[in-house]
Amino acid sequence: MNQMIIPIKFEGATRQRKREAPKGRRVDPAALVQVQQLLGDQSRQADMLIEHLHKIQDRFGCLSTPHLAALAAEMKMAQTEVYEVATFYHHFDVVREGGEAPAALTVRVCNGLSCEMAGANDLLAKLPGILGVDVRVLAAPCIGRCEQAPAAVVGQNPVPFATVEQIAAVVDAKDTAHVPSGFIDLAGYRAQGGYRLLGECIGGGRDVESVIKTMENSGLRGLGGAGFPSGRKWRIVRGEAGPRLMAINIDEGEPGTFKDRTYLERDPHRFLEGALIAAWVVGIETIYVYLRDEYHGCRNMLEAELAALRADPPVPGMPEIILRRGAGAYICGEESAMIESIEGKRGMPRLRPPYVAQVGLFGRPTLEHNFETLHWVRDILEKGSEWFAGFGRNGRKGLRSFSVSGRVKEPGVKLAPAGITIQELIDEHCGGMLEGQSLYAYLPGGASGGILPASMNNIPLDFDTLQPYGCFIGSAAVIVLSDRDTAVNAARNMMSFFADESCGQCTPCRVGTAKTLTLIDKPKWDVALLADLSQVMRDASICGLGQAAPNPVDCVVKYFPHELG
C-alpha cells in the first residue's frame, strides 16, 4: 500500500538565514581601489574581461587572488568566471594566496620546430644560469617569427636570430615593446591612393553586386586555413538579418606561420581598407580585430594608426573598429574559439550548427576573416578578378603567401603562384637549401598539415591538392627539413605542441594528444594503437585541432617507416 508522506512544517523553518557577506572570497578594499583606478572609465561589460586582466597583469606583473576578486566585484561577475578565464590563457600568471609572484621579467624562447632546428633547446639550457633568478625563462610555442629562428621574446621585445648574448643585452636594456619601423602610415597610404576605392564604394561609384561578383570570380579563398570562398561568404552573411558584425583573425598561432605579421608590419592600412569595403558590402556595424598577444609592437602601431584613422576618417559613418588582445592560446585561431575570446570567455570552440555566419559574435551574424584575405581586397577590386586568377601553376589559380622556414638559405614570406611545388618554391624563391644540406622532408601546412618526403616534391601546393596524400596546405606555412633532421622528431615536436594547446573541452583531443605524445616518445611505436587513436580523434573531436593533430604521426607511419625501425 502506498503511503502518503505529509511534510511537517515547523515554525520558522522556512526562513532563510541572510549571508553576512557575498559567497566566495571577500573583496580586499585596497585591491578594489587599485582595480578601479586602473580601469578608469572603461566599460565593465563582461566582454572586456580579458582586456582588464591584461591591464592588471601589465601593471602588477601577475594576477593575484585579491585583484581577481576585486575585478569580479567591479564587473559584477562570479569569481569563478574570472578565475577560469584567467587560468585558461598561457600569458596570464595567476598567483594563488601564499604563492610567489613570478620574476619581474620573463624571457620566452620559442621551441617550435623551426626554432628547435636552429638551436632553441641550447638557449633554453643555458639562459637560466646566465640571466639569474630575477629573470624567468620559459619555453614558448610558436611566436610567429619562424623566419628569424631561433626567436625569443624578452618581456615584450622580440629577439630575432637570438643568441645568449643578444638576449642578455635586451634583458639589461629593459625597453618597452618596439614598434615595427618602415611601415606605411596613414599619410603615406593615402599618398599612394589608399582609401580612394573605399570612397568610390561609399559614394556610389561601385555597387555591391558588382563587388561581390568580382570577389567571387577572382577565386580568392579564406587564407587562414579553411579556404572558404570569400565572395560567397560575403553574400551569405549579407543575407542574414542585421545587425551584423565582423571579426578579423590575426591570431596566427599555427607553427610555421608568420605571413600576417609580415604584411601587418609593412602595410596595415591595406587590410583596414579591405575590412571597411567588406563592411560596406555586407552591412557591418562594428569590426573587431583579434591580434595575438605575441605581436606587441604591432599592437602599439595598430592602436596609433586606428587612432589616426578615427581622427580623420576617409568616409563618413565609418564602422567602429575595436582592437582586442589575445592572451596566448593557439585554439583561438579557430573562428568560434576566437569569438568566445572576444566575448571575454575561455577560447573554446563552439559546436556547429549554427555557424558563425548565422550566430556568431554576441549572437549576431558575423563575417569572420583572416587578415591576409582582407589584405588582397583592394588589389583584386582595382586590378580585376582576372588579375588575381591569372596567376597559378600546374592548373591552379591565384597567388599564395608562403611562410617558409627551416633549412633554406632565404626563409621568409614568399609570394608565389598557387600550385607551385616545394622544389620550385625552394629553388626559385628561397635561394635553395642551406649549404651542404639536401631536402629530406617538408611540412606543407604547418603543424597540422602533415609531413611529406623529398620524393614527393612535385605536388602542387594549393587548396585541395594535398588531401589525397593525408595533408593540407592550411595557411601555407612551409617548414623544410634536411638530411640532418628526422620526421619522427618533427612529429614529436608537433604533437607536444598540440597536447599543450588542446583547450581540453573534448575528451578525444584532450586525452588523445597526450596519449599519442606518450606513445611516440617511445623508441618503438605501437602503430596499431596509434591508428586507433588517430581515427577516434578525427571522428569525435569538436574542432580542427583534434581532427588534424594526428596528421604528422600518420604521415611518419605512411611515408617514413624506415625511421621506426
Side-chain angles (χ1 to χ4, degrees):
M1 180 182 295
N2 293 332
Q3 294 181 341
M4 182 179 293
I5 300 176
I6 301 175
I8 301 174
K9 189 173 183 180
F10 295 100
E11 185 178 354
T14 58
R15 289 189 299 176
Q16 294 183 354
R17 182 181 299 172
K18 292 184 178 179
R19 293 188 181 275
E20 296 179 359
K23 191 175 182 180
R25 177 180 296 276
R26 296 193 180 187
V27 177
D28 177 69
L32 181 60
V33 170
Q34 289 176 328
V35 168
Q36 289 172 336
Q37 291 176 343
L38 198 58
L39 269 54
D41 59 358
Q42 287 200 314
S43 168
R44 268 61 167 175
Q45 291 182 170
D47 62 286
M48 292 294 291
L49 176 57
I50 293 173
E51 295 295 309
H52 293 338
L53 288 170
H54 274 303
K55 283 183 177 295
I56 294 171
Q57 173 137 323
D58 288 347
R59 171 64 180 83
F60 299 103
C62 64
L63 299 173
S64 67
T65 46
H67 283 139
L68 291 176
L71 181 62
E74 185 66 11
M75 298 185 72
K76 295 181 172 54
M77 297 177 68
Q79 292 184 23
T80 53
E81 291 180 276
V82 174
Y83 186 82
E84 71 179 9
V85 171
T87 54
F88 179 84
Y89 294 93
H90 296 316
H91 291 184
F92 290 140
D93 293 310
V94 176
V95 178
R96 296 171 177 83
E97 192 170 4
E100 289 188 12
L105 184 64
T106 296
V107 174
R108 287 183 165 88
V109 178
C110 177
N111 65 348
L113 180 57
S114 298
C115 288
E116 182 182 84
M117 291 192 295
N121 290 337
D122 188 48
L123 287 176
L124 286 165
K126 292 179 179 177
L127 283 171
I130 293 172
L131 300 180
V133 295
D134 294 332
V135 178
R136 179 175 59 164
V137 178
L138 298 177
C142 184
I143 60 175
R145 296 184 178 274
C146 317
E147 86 282 25
Q148 302 168 0
V153 178
V154 177
Q156 295 187 345
N157 287 296
V159 183
F161 308 108
T163 65
V164 170
E165 293 76 19
Q166 288 173 320
I167 292 173
V170 177
V171 167
D172 292 338
K174 296 181 173 60
D175 290 335
T176 55
H178 292 294
V179 173
S181 60
F183 68 92
I184 303 172
D185 64 6
L186 178 57
Y189 185 70
R190 278 183 162 152
Q192 297 177 6
Y195 293 111
R196 190 179 301 157
L197 176 62
L198 175 64
E200 288 180 17
C201 293
I202 301 296
R206 294 177 183 250
D207 64 273
V208 166
E209 184 59 28
S210 69
V211 169
I212 292 179
K213 282 185 176 178
T214 300
M215 294 298 295
E216 289 175 333
N217 293 338
S218 72
L220 179 69
R221 296 169 66 170
L223 297 172
F228 193 86
S230 302
R232 190 193 308 172
K233 183 183 284 190
W234 290 14
R235 194 179 293 279
I236 289 171
V237 181
R238 179 177 168 81
E240 296 291 328
R244 310 173 194 91
L245 303 173
M246 184 189 297
I248 300 173
N249 191 338
I250 322 181
D251 191 60
E252 196 171 45
E254 180 78 16
T257 307
F258 47 90
K259 61 182 177 62
D260 292 351
R261 188 208 85 235
T262 301
Y263 286 136
L264 177 59
E265 288 177 341
R266 297 174 182 174
D267 200 357
H269 287 278
R270 187 169 296 271
F271 109 85
L272 289 171
E273 183 170 13
L276 290 169
I277 291 170
W280 167 74
V281 169
V282 177
I284 298 295
E285 291 193 350
T286 307
I287 299 170
Y288 287 82
V289 179
Y290 188 84
L291 180 66
R292 72 178 304 191
D293 193 35
E294 289 85 349
Y295 294 169
H296 301 287
C298 288
R299 185 175 66 253
N300 293 342
M301 175 269 288
L302 197 51
E303 285 175 342
E305 292 304 306
L306 285 173
L309 197 62
R310 295 185 192 106
D312 185 16
V315 294
M318 187 181 79
E320 183 179 10
I321 302 176
I322 298 173
L323 182 61
R324 287 292 170 86
R325 179 178 172 183
Y330 165 69
I331 192 64
C332 290
E334 196 274 340
E335 61 176 7
S336 66
M338 176 191 66
I339 284 172
E340 289 285 299
S341 189
I342 292 174
E343 292 180 355
K345 306 171 187 174
R346 294 174 295 170
M348 289 190 167
R350 298 176 179 177
L351 290 170
R352 282 164 286 193
Y355 296 96
V356 165
Q358 302 163 311
V359 182
L361 191 55
F362 306 118
R364 303 308 313 166
T366 301
L367 179 67
E368 188 275 341
H369 265 313
N370 168 257
F371 167 92
E372 194 203 348
T373 310
L374 296 168
H375 174 87
W376 289 112
V377 168
R378 178 185 165 189
D379 278 331
I380 289 172
L381 293 179
E382 287 183 341
K383 299 175 182 178
S385 57
E386 298 82 5
W387 168 81
F388 189 80
F391 294 94
R393 285 190 191 174
N394 300 309
R396 311 304 297 178
K397 293 182 178 181
L399 287 166
R400 294 288 174 270
S401 300
F402 294 94
S403 303
V404 185
S405 62
R407 309 292 194 182
V408 294
K409 288 181 180 178
E410 300 170 9
V413 175
K414 310 298 179 180
L415 185 60
I420 195 171
T421 67
I422 185 63
Q423 195 63 60
E424 292 168 337
L425 187 63
I426 293 171
D427 293 343
E428 298 174 23
H429 295 270
C430 303
M433 297 291 293
L434 288 174
E435 205 64 43
Q437 301 184 37
S438 58
L439 177 65
Y440 174 69
Y442 64 102
L443 286 73
S448 53
I451 309 174
L452 292 171
S455 60
M456 300 174 70
N457 64 347
N458 59 349
I459 301 171
L461 299 177
D462 196 12
F463 296 114
D464 311 321
T465 60
L466 293 156
Q467 281 84 336
Y469 309 99
C471 299
F472 58 82
I473 194 170
S475 59
V478 177
I479 304 176
V480 179
L481 278 58
S482 77
D483 48 1
R484 299 186 182 184
D485 309 303
T486 68
V488 164
N489 284 340
R492 285 170 177 157
N493 182 286
M494 298 295 99
M495 192 54 65
S496 176
F497 171 81
F498 288 130
D500 190 52
E501 292 294 332
S502 173
C503 74
Q505 180 178 190
C506 65
T507 302
C509 178
R510 180 183 67 250
V511 177
T513 52
K515 179 66 174 177
T516 300
L517 180 60
T518 300
L519 289 172
I520 66 174
D521 272 341
K522 296 179 179 179
K524 185 174 178 59
W525 288 13
D526 188 334
V527 173
L529 183 53
L530 285 169
D532 287 343
L533 272 172
S534 172
Q535 195 62 51
V536 170
M537 292 171 69
R538 293 180 188 281
D539 291 344
S541 294
I542 289 174
C543 81
L545 191 156
Q547 294 162 10
N551 282 343
V553 174
D554 290 350
C555 284
V556 169
V557 173
K558 185 175 183 180
Y559 299 118
F560 303 89
H562 56 279
E563 291 191 21
L564 303 178

